[in-house]
Amino acid sequence: MVSMTPKGEMVERFLDFAARGDVDQISIMISHSNFLVNECGQNGWTALMFASRNGHFEVVKALLSKGCDKSPVNKSGQTAYDVAKFWGHKHIANLLANDEAGSLERVLPNAGPEEQESYFSREFLHRMSEKRTDSQWLAAKQSSPETVFLLFFNLNPLVTAPADEAASGGSDMKLCRLRLPSVEELLRRGDTMVVFLGVEKLPESHSSSAQKDGDDGLTAWFALNTEQNPMDHLRSVDAQSFFLKPPMPGLLTLCENDAGVLAQARAVLAWHSRYSFCPTCGSATRADEGGHKRTCLQADCKSLQGIHNTCYPRVDPVVIMLVIHPDGNQCLLGRKKIFPPGMFSCLAGFIEPGETVEDGVRREVQEESGVRVGPVQYIACQPWPMPSSLMIGCHAVAVSTDITVDEHEIEEARWFTRQQVIDAFVKRGRPPFVLPPRQAIAHYLIKHWIGINANL
Ligand SMILES: NC(=O)c1ccc[n+]([C@@H]2O[C@H](COP(=O)([O-])OP(=O)(O)OC[C@H]3O[C@@H](n4cnc5c(N)ncnc54)[C@H](O)[C@@H]3O)[C@@H](O)[C@H]2O)c1
Ligand SMILES: [Mg+2]
Ligand SMILES: [Mg+2]
Ligand SMILES: [Mg+2]
Ligand SMILES: [Zn+2]
């Protein structure tokens, strides 16, 4: 082993505290030796990178407050910002990007807007995908009194209304967090689908004290779905709770945290309910890996050789776009027959095989409205769990303006002026149309266009 200088040892100790989130030790060491904030260890990582990797917000803040440089890159060319973003620590990525000389702007001067959190996108569980193959761990969690179970009946979640429903206008519905005694009987039934969702993220102050007696102290979450009314098999469930249906607009009434976990749970459960047989050979399949895989039971099935995407939960990419008139002052919105009266929204469509996002936008806009599109810019995305789409939101610039609607899909499409869109937002006078609900990415794409062109 290579021996280290006393300084080298001190740096490694400092980096270790950063990796573990020990903000007290970090502050003490900086107060004696401020140079540590910019040191990197033997693997080329700085304290800021380690803290960003492990989601230690307070450590990142402390390092920044001591003038830590955000620009160094590790051996893979990643800054601390890149590391935070890669590991999904959005709050840390925002902190690192918002600070004046944000690395994103420097590296990508023409970068679009900051990553946008949308309804259905909040991740408050850590998915712990490495535990999906640990059947012993999963079984222990399924029989732990701490574990949280979400229940679905035909993909409709069990919810409770807020106590002051009138005041909240019926929104902010909560998913019922059931415990083992309530669902024990359901878990024993063969026809209950069980999906491991993840574990609650730990507060930064979490220590290893909970790890005695083999318990890792992690609270696991599972989603259950049944196709037969589970009410007779449930124990001690709040009398106010009920299954939320139909999905639209019902699922848009959840609070933001619950909408995120619902998007994950419902999309996976919907996949199980649609793929009970092997898409390759038609045989029966079995759920594996905590409900994140289906394996064919036919020994010589092709799907058992190599990796087949038919064995994993599906996500369907959909482009959704706000098309802007060449004059920059109008946008194209359409309405489907099924929309509530007066509502107009962005055009949208499924991406086809072999197509880029940009080509998908151009094709769908032309098919649905006859308008031809030039430049396309990605803005934001949103999981859409009905049943399992990923909405890829873009702005696009039209290069022609005549409208011919595809009547199979769209009842009407129109150019609306910026003023008309603003009137619809502020609901002034008699607005010319109704906007899609704020939970839909279409709403955000329209609002963002108004925002970036603000000349009110
Ligand atoms: N979040 C939002 O703001 C928002 C707004 C609009 C639409 N959406 C969602 O986007 C999705 C797609 O929009 P669209 O209906 O206009 O798409 P679209 O314009 O491609 O037309 C739908 C048709 O495409 C075909 N299709 C192709 N691939 C499909 C697939 N993987 N699954 C189902 N059908 C497929 C079917 O014939 C279907 O009738 C819808 O599910 C809709 O709920 C979300
Ligand atoms: Mg469409
Ligand atoms: Mg279409
Ligand atoms: Mg289509
Ligand atoms: Zn098969």
Side-chain angles (χ1 to χ4, degrees):
M1 203 185 130
V2 187
S3 66
M4 260 196 240
T5 62
K7 182 185 163 197
E9 269 175 23
M10 186 179 180
V11 169
E12 291 298 334
R13 208 147 32 92
F14 183 70
L15 297 176
D16 188 50
F17 286 134
R20 287 196 278 128
D22 194 334
V23 72
D24 294 338
Q25 290 298 336
I26 288 286
S27 303
I28 293 168
M29 289 185 79
I30 296 177
S31 67
H32 298 143
S33 320
N34 195 266
F35 73 91
L36 285 168
V37 295
N38 289 325
E39 287 295 318
C40 65
Q42 290 181 324
N43 71 348
W45 281 46
T46 62
L48 194 65
M49 292 172 193
F50 278 115
S52 300
R53 160 68 184 83
N54 292 342
H56 299 310
F57 188 75
E58 293 304 322
V59 174
V60 171
K61 259 190 358 204
L63 291 166
L64 290 177
S65 75
K66 297 295 175 192
C68 165
D69 181 4
K70 293 177 301 179
S71 63
V73 292
N74 61 20
K75 289 173 187 163
S76 316
Q78 296 169 309
T79 61
Y81 169 85
D82 299 326
V83 172
K85 201 165 171 199
F86 179 82
W87 290 101
H89 303 303
K90 289 182 194 167
H91 53 319
I92 292 180
N94 285 340
L95 184 67
L96 291 168
N98 287 341
D99 222 59
E100 16 73 55
S103 55
L104 181 67
E105 287 71 26
R106 207 181 45 257
V107 179
L108 284 174
N110 295 321
E114 259 314 299
E115 189 172 325
Q116 183 63 31
E117 188 185 77
S118 59
Y119 191 78
F120 288 131
S121 79
R122 187 173 294 178
E123 290 242 290
F124 80 95
L125 296 179
H126 179 14
R127 293 182 184 226
M128 298 271 284
S129 52
E130 70 275 19
K131 289 293 187 198
R132 292 175 189 163
T133 45
D134 187 342
S135 45
Q136 235 176 335
W137 185 89
L138 288 173
K141 288 298 179 194
Q142 262 186 52
S143 53
S144 159
E146 304 300 324
T147 294
V148 174
F149 296 90
L150 304 178
L151 179 61
F152 294 72
F153 170 28
N154 281 332
L155 306 178
N156 297 317
L158 187 69
V159 297
T160 42
D164 54 347
E165 191 179 346
S168 73
S171 65
D172 280 5
M173 214 70 91
K174 301 269 303 169
L175 295 170
C176 291
R177 286 136 166 87
L178 305 177
R179 303 286 169 165
L180 185 62
S182 306
V183 297
E184 226 165 1
E185 206 179 316
L186 274 175
L187 280 171
R188 276 197 298 270
R189 286 165 45 131
D191 56 352
T192 303
M193 179 50 63
V194 183
V195 171
F196 168 57
L197 299 173
V199 302
E200 287 176 20
K201 288 181 181 163
L202 293 173
E204 272 155 32
S205 55
H206 178 80
S207 72
S208 53
S209 58
Q211 299 191 358
K212 287 176 241 145
D213 63 33
D215 178 7
D216 55 18
L218 299 171
T219 304
W221 285 49
F222 289 84
L224 311 180
N225 186 46
T226 74
E227 291 179 0
Q228 275 156 40
N229 194 338
M231 276 318 202
D232 297 343
H233 307 279
L234 286 179
R235 300 276 164 271
S236 52
V237 167
D238 178 0
Q240 304 301 313
S241 57
F242 61 96
F243 289 100
L244 189 61
K245 60 180 179 181
M248 276 294 271
L251 296 182
L252 303 187
T253 59
L254 292 166
C255 65
E256 299 275 336
N257 259 344
D258 287 11
V261 73
L262 174 119
Q264 178 194 0
R266 190 173 193 276
V268 180
L269 292 171
W271 171 68
H272 284 292
S273 75
R274 286 153 194 244
Y275 285 72
S276 11
F277 293 96
C278 172
T280 304
C281 77
S283 301
T285 54
R286 163 190 87 219
D288 280 336
E289 302 193 3
H292 292 265
K293 182 173 185 185
R294 293 196 76 90
T295 307
C296 181
L297 297 177
Q298 175 67 39
D300 56 3
C301 177
K302 271 191 288 184
S303 73
L304 299 176
Q305 295 153 26
I307 292 183
H308 285 250
N309 65 356
T310 55
C311 304
Y312 297 93
R314 312 300 322 132
V315 177
D316 297 310
V318 175
V319 283
I320 176 159
M321 45 276 167
L322 184 69
V323 179
I324 298 156
H325 195 282
D327 72 9
N329 238 345
Q330 303 174 60
C331 68
L332 181 67
L333 300 175
R335 56 168 283 112
K336 289 187 172 192
K337 286 193 196 71
I338 55 161
F339 282 1
M343 190 177 107
F344 278 77
S345 186
C346 296
L347 303 182
F350 289 96
I351 291 199
E352 297 200 348
E355 195 168 55
T356 63
V357 167
E358 291 81 357
D359 287 339
V361 167
R362 294 190 188 100
R363 179 186 50 73
E364 283 288 347
V365 173
Q366 178 139 32
E367 282 176 8
E368 297 185 2
S369 70
V371 169
R372 282 185 296 111
V373 160
V376 174
Q377 186 182 29
Y378 169 76
I379 302 291
C381 67
Q382 174 181 45
W384 192 249
M386 291 163 271
S388 55
S389 296
L390 175 67
M391 308 298 301
I392 304 168
C394 298
H395 280 176
V397 182
V399 294
S400 76
T401 57
D402 287 349
I403 295 173
T404 316
V405 291
D406 164 10
E407 282 166 12
H408 291 299
E409 232 209 286
I410 304 281
E411 189 177 74
E412 190 183 353
R414 265 202 259 163
W415 292 106
F416 289 94
T417 65
R418 182 184 298 155
Q419 187 60 57
Q420 287 174 312
V421 174
I422 292 164
D423 289 348
F425 268 105
V426 297
K427 304 195 175 93
R428 208 166 22 214
R430 288 198 52 197
F433 72 101
V434 178
L435 287 160
R438 67 171 171 79
Q439 296 90 338
I441 192 170
H443 183 99
Y444 175 73
L445 291 173
I446 301 171
K447 192 169 172 180
H448 185 62
W449 175 62
I450 293 298
I452 59 177
N453 288 286
N455 61 351
L456 305 173

